[in-house]
């Protein structure tokens, strides 16, 4: 749906184009291991250029997304209009009784906006809206991580917990440390545990059991600075090994957003 906005621009098309351009940079860097070539002459300068362009694109993309189909934004800017049902659509539109000063409360107006969206959305449009909301919540580093996970490969993950007297696990000092950040070439390696935790919360990444075939990667992960630092803050450390991989939702989301694929049209 590429309806023109009052300013004369097709905002939906612009957002899609920005998403493709930003995704191409993030996906290319993660897939080619761009960060691994830093020792080559000129590569560090080139990488800074890529990072700067990527940040500019993603900043603009986030700004545009915040103006596209955002119920709270719509409620704040057009709450009064939402109080009136369109002619002939009274039974199909949620209307509000003004709370005070003849204006609807923003939260109630935003909920009404969502309910009104649900009336006219088909399956594809609802999916596009859902994916747009997820996309708005991702950081550039998280986009890189998702790209690195997109082929289905598992990566080691470790929780650092305090060992109890009976050999069990007590307080968690660090959760979801993983080598996936280095593989993806993230800008903030120390934030990888938080990135992974957030992506699990969004349903894009699943936790699974330890994979013995990744033993070497687990050993490398245990030398990671964030893991070593967490280990210093507890008396007796226990390392709980797991793996992370892209979830079913994550794979569907990536399929819809992958900049390397032809964009699909939504009804």
């Amino acid at each position: 749906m590429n309806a023109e906005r009052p300013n004369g621009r097709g905002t939906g098309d612009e957002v899609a184009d920005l998403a493709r351009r930003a995704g191409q940079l993030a996906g290319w860097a993660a897939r080619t291991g761009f960060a691994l070539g830093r020792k080559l002459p000129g590569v560090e300068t080139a990488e800074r250029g890529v990072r700067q362009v990527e940040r500019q694109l993603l900043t603009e993309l986030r700004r545009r997304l915040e103006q596209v189909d955002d119920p709270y934004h719509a409620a704040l800017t057009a709450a009064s209009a939402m109080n009136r049902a369109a002619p002939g659509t009274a039974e199909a539109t949620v209307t509000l009784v003004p709370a005070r000063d003849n204006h609807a409360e923003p939260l109630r107006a935003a909920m009404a906006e969502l309910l009104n969206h649900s009336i006219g959305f088909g399956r594809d449009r609802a999916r596009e809206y859902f994916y747009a909301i997820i996309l708005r919540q991702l950081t550039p580093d998280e986009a890189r991580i998702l790209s690195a996970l997109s082929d289905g490969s598992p990566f080691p993950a470790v929780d650092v917990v305090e060992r109890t007297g009976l050999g069990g696990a007590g307080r968690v000092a660090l959760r979801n440390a993983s080598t996936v950040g280095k593989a993806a070439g993230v800008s903030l390696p120390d934030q990888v545990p938080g990135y992974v935790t957030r992506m699990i919360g969004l349903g894009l990444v699943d936790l699974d059991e330890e994979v013995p075939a990744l033993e070497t990667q687990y050993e490398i992960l245990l030398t990671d600075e964030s893991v070593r630092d967490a280990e210093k803050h507890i008396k007796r450390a226990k390392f709980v090994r797991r793996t992370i991989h892209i979830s079913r939702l994550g794979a569907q989301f990536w399929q819809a957003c992958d900049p390397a694929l032809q964009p699909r049209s939504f009804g």
Side-chain angles (χ1 to χ4, degrees):
M1 299 183 68
N2 297 324
E4 292 288 318
R5 293 295 174 104
N7 61 12
R9 296 182 299 177
T11 306
D13 288 339
E14 292 176 355
V15 169
D17 180 62
L18 282 166
R20 284 193 294 272
R21 291 163 63 194
Q24 284 170 350
L25 282 169
W28 170 78
R31 291 174 187 277
T32 59
F34 189 76
L36 299 180
R38 288 175 178 165
K39 295 183 179 179
L40 297 177
V43 169
E44 185 175 354
T45 300
E47 183 179 8
R48 284 198 299 268
V50 169
R51 298 281 193 181
Q52 181 178 4
V53 174
E54 182 188 59
R55 282 194 297 270
Q56 291 171 346
L57 285 171
L58 287 164
T59 298
E60 178 64 10
L61 173 61
R62 187 176 296 278
R63 186 184 70 80
R64 297 283 180 84
L65 283 170
E66 288 185 356
Q67 298 178 3
V68 177
D69 288 335
D70 186 327
Y72 194 76
H73 181 270
L76 291 174
T77 57
S80 61
M82 294 171 57
N83 292 331
R84 301 187 298 273
T89 62
E91 294 182 359
T93 304
V94 177
T95 58
L96 296 176
V97 176
R100 57 179 178 270
D101 299 329
N102 203 34
H103 291 287
E105 294 180 7
L107 291 176
R108 299 182 191 281
M111 179 58 74
E113 178 76 359
L114 285 174
L115 292 171
N116 288 333
H117 274 318
S118 71
I119 295 171
F121 275 11
R123 183 181 180 87
D124 286 344
R125 185 68 183 91
R127 183 184 296 110
E128 180 187 29
Y129 187 99
F130 178 45
Y131 290 164
I133 294 298
I134 293 176
L135 185 60
R136 282 181 52 201
Q137 298 179 70
L138 292 179
T139 68
D141 275 351
E142 289 165 348
R144 288 175 172 269
I145 289 173
L146 192 63
S147 177
L149 293 170
S150 63
D151 64 358
S153 299
F155 281 83
V158 164
D159 291 350
V160 182
V161 300
E162 191 166 25
R163 188 186 300 273
T164 66
L166 299 177
R171 179 174 63 90
V172 178
L174 180 67
R175 194 183 303 276
N176 298 323
S178 177
T179 58
V180 70
K182 290 183 178 179
V186 299
S187 299
L188 300 175
D190 58 316
Q191 296 301 318
V192 170
Y195 291 152
V196 172
T197 300
R198 270 175 38 86
M199 295 175 75
I200 292 172
L202 288 171
L204 301 176
V205 173
D206 280 341
L207 274 174
D208 214 332
E209 299 298 322
E210 175 185 0
V211 174
L214 299 177
E215 176 62 29
T216 300
Q217 292 192 45
Y218 281 113
E219 294 300 326
I220 293 173
L221 179 56
L222 294 181
T223 66
D224 186 86
E225 184 177 351
S226 62
V227 175
R228 299 293 296 273
D229 184 64
E231 187 179 2
K232 294 176 183 177
H233 289 81
I234 53 180
K235 293 181 179 180
R236 294 188 301 169
K238 178 178 180 179
F239 304 104
V240 181
R241 297 185 177 190
R242 296 191 178 91
T243 57
I244 59 170
H245 57 85
I246 196 166
S247 67
R248 182 171 179 270
L249 171 60
Q252 293 170 341
F253 174 74
W254 182 256
Q255 177 74 13
C257 300
D258 186 352
L261 299 180
Q262 290 295 323
R264 58 175 296 188
S265 60
F266 291 92

